[in-house]
Amino acid sequence: MQVDLNRYDPSKHVRYRALSVKQPYAQLLIEGSKYIEVRSRNTTYRGDLLLCSSRKPEFPGMMSGVTLGFIELYDTKPVAEFTEDDWEHTRVPRDMWGKFEGGYGWLMRNPRRVIEIPVKGMLGIYTAVFEKGDIVEYPTAMTIDKKGWDYIKKQLKHTK
């Protein structure tokens, strides 16, 4: 559960640098099919961000107002220097490109999903505080020993 920043206790809570992004762009970032987020301002921050989806707008099949995962912000680039390939990786429709003159592309990589929990977002990069253990990454690999594999095979035979 998200905790009020004023109640932060390092023995019970963890702070994360967080970024809220509207859907469908938040989903595209965490899936890795979008890796440039266009913002009106530059940032000097580099490192992991807890990516959260904004509460609005809501899109069918996409979660809103929740944590989605971690993503690394590794660089920024003025929109004025974008190539056509850069624009394609923003996933912003071509007819809207002119709307972002003077903005910056925040270059992202290494998305990692977390188990979704409700979050109250804010504008820009902000500090989100959660109870220890609340933010859990989905496993990316699992190791099973022979005993475990034999058990799985046995269970599969029972389901046929």
Side-chain angles (χ1 to χ4, degrees), residues 24-111:
Y25 300 109
Q27 187 68 33
L28 297 171
L29 277 167
I30 206 63
E31 289 172 354
S33 61
K34 167 184 166 74
Y35 59 82
I36 299 176
E37 172 66 6
V38 180
R39 294 282 164 149
S40 60
R41 297 184 181 173
N42 200 1
T43 182
T44 57
Y45 178 80
R46 300 294 182 270
D48 277 346
L49 291 167
L50 179 62
L51 182 65
C52 304
S53 61
S54 300
R55 259 189 312 143
K56 294 188 179 187
E58 293 182 14
F59 275 77
M62 294 184 183
M63 299 190 72
S64 297
V66 297
T67 59
L68 291 178
F70 291 105
I71 194 159
E72 180 188 357
L73 169 57
Y74 71 93
D75 203 1
T76 62
K77 181 178 185 177
V79 166
E81 297 176 13
F82 274 17
T83 64
E84 185 150 334
D85 189 53
D86 289 334
W87 276 113
E88 293 300 323
H89 289 100
T90 67
R91 303 295 292 267
V92 172
R94 183 179 288 271
D95 62 338
M96 293 181 62
W97 290 2
K99 177 182 172 189
F100 297 100
E101 287 182 25
Y104 293 86
W106 292 12
L107 284 63
M108 311 281 196
R109 65 182 174 203
N110 194 21

Side-chain angles (χ1 to χ4, degrees), residues 1 13 43 46 59 62 82 94 103 123 129 134 143 156:
M1 170 186 278
H13 304 113
T43 182
R46 300 294 182 270
F59 275 77
M62 294 184 183
F82 274 17
R94 183 179 288 271
L123 296 176
V129 178
D134 277 358
T143 304
L156 288 172

Side-chain angles (χ1 to χ4, degrees), residues 7-22:
R7 295 185 174 180
Y8 174 71
D9 176 350
S11 67
K12 299 177 184 176
H13 304 113
V14 180
R15 290 176 179 220
Y16 298 99
R17 301 298 287 160
L19 181 69
S20 292
V21 176
K22 291 181 179 181

Side-chain angles (χ1 to χ4, degrees), residues 120-135:
K120 182 176 179 175
M122 298 174 75
L123 296 176
I125 295 176
Y126 61 96
T127 301
V129 178
F130 292 88
E131 293 180 14
K132 285 187 176 179
D134 277 358
I135 304 296

